[in-house]
Amino acid sequence: MTSSSDIVRLRAGPGTASLPKRGWVFALGVVYLITGFVALGSVALATVASVVLVGVMMIAAGVAEVINAIQVKTWGKFLLWALLGALYIVAGLVTFDNPTLAAVLLTLALGASLVAASIMRLILAFSMKRATPRSWLAISGVITLLIGSLILARWPINSVYILGLFLGVDLVVAGASWIGVSFGLRRSPIVKARSST
């Protein structure tokens, strides 16, 4: 009969080499947490940083579109891909040239997309059968609708801080979750068995 330590030894085989080391996961969580608190301490600067990040991503996407256009064989599709790539690149450069305007437009897009997503969630929740657990979906839709409506109600005044606030909160939540994962790895019998071998 096998004991629990034998089972742990069996589990701690070659497949456990892909598990992350607990210390690195904890350090990643701490970095996320500190960065999130710094972003929350200066939400205007974090808004500019998030706008610059969006600009970099748009330029990278535009370059990828242009490279894809070069590989297309037909002339019409080449022009379409190249035009799309050029628009992405120009939009990315505009975010560097005028980050305030970009923050205003991104905040408007964020508020509108949250309202649209919340309406879709509410429609989905009310179209589900009564026996299904639809209350959590409806609550999520209402909360998202409130957040989107608040963003749109205070737009464009809130464009200075709303993106930075969302970035800071996201970083803090991500950091806390990575720290939680590292503590979970510490208690995992697979990781314990790997570290003892």
Side-chain angles (χ1 to χ4, degrees):
M1 186 155 183
T2 59
S3 66
S4 61
S5 61
D6 292 333
I7 293 171
V8 169
R9 274 194 213 101
L10 288 173
R11 284 186 186 164
T16 60
S18 63
L19 287 174
K21 295 207 181 270
R22 186 182 70 83
W24 286 107
V25 174
F26 182 80
L28 178 67
V30 169
V31 168
Y32 268 96
L33 210 57
I34 291 170
T35 309
F37 283 127
V38 168
L40 289 174
S42 177
V43 288
L45 187 62
T47 295
V48 172
S50 61
V51 167
V52 167
L53 181 64
V54 169
V56 168
M57 290 189 308
M58 290 176 83
I59 290 173
V63 169
E65 296 284 350
V66 170
I67 291 171
N68 189 33
I70 294 170
Q71 298 173 355
V72 172
K73 304 289 185 210
T74 61
W75 185 249
K77 288 183 181 178
F78 165 78
L79 284 177
L80 188 64
W81 284 105
L83 180 64
L84 186 62
L87 286 174
Y88 267 109
I89 292 171
V90 168
L93 292 173
V94 166
T95 61
F96 291 126
D97 186 47
N98 194 346
T100 306
L101 175 64
V104 168
L105 294 175
L106 286 172
T107 303
L108 178 64
L110 176 67
S113 63
L114 285 175
V115 168
S118 67
I119 291 170
M120 295 306 294
R121 279 188 205 151
L122 289 171
I123 290 171
L124 183 63
F126 288 113
S127 66
M128 294 171 82
K129 295 189 186 317
R130 192 171 294 276
T132 57
R134 59 185 180 172
S135 59
W136 286 108
L137 189 61
I139 290 169
S140 167
V142 168
I143 291 171
T144 306
L145 181 63
L146 288 173
I147 293 171
S149 300
L150 284 172
I151 290 172
L152 291 177
R154 299 286 298 158
W155 182 83
I157 298 165
N158 61 3
S159 301
V160 176
Y161 63 87
I162 202 72
L163 296 175
L165 180 68
F166 273 41
L167 177 65
V169 169
D170 180 58
L171 288 170
V172 167
V173 169
S177 65
W178 280 118
I179 290 172
V181 166
S182 74
F183 285 125
L185 285 174
R186 185 178 68 175
R187 288 187 227 113
S188 171
I190 296 172
V191 175
K192 284 181 185 176
R194 184 179 72 176
S195 61
S196 66
T197 56

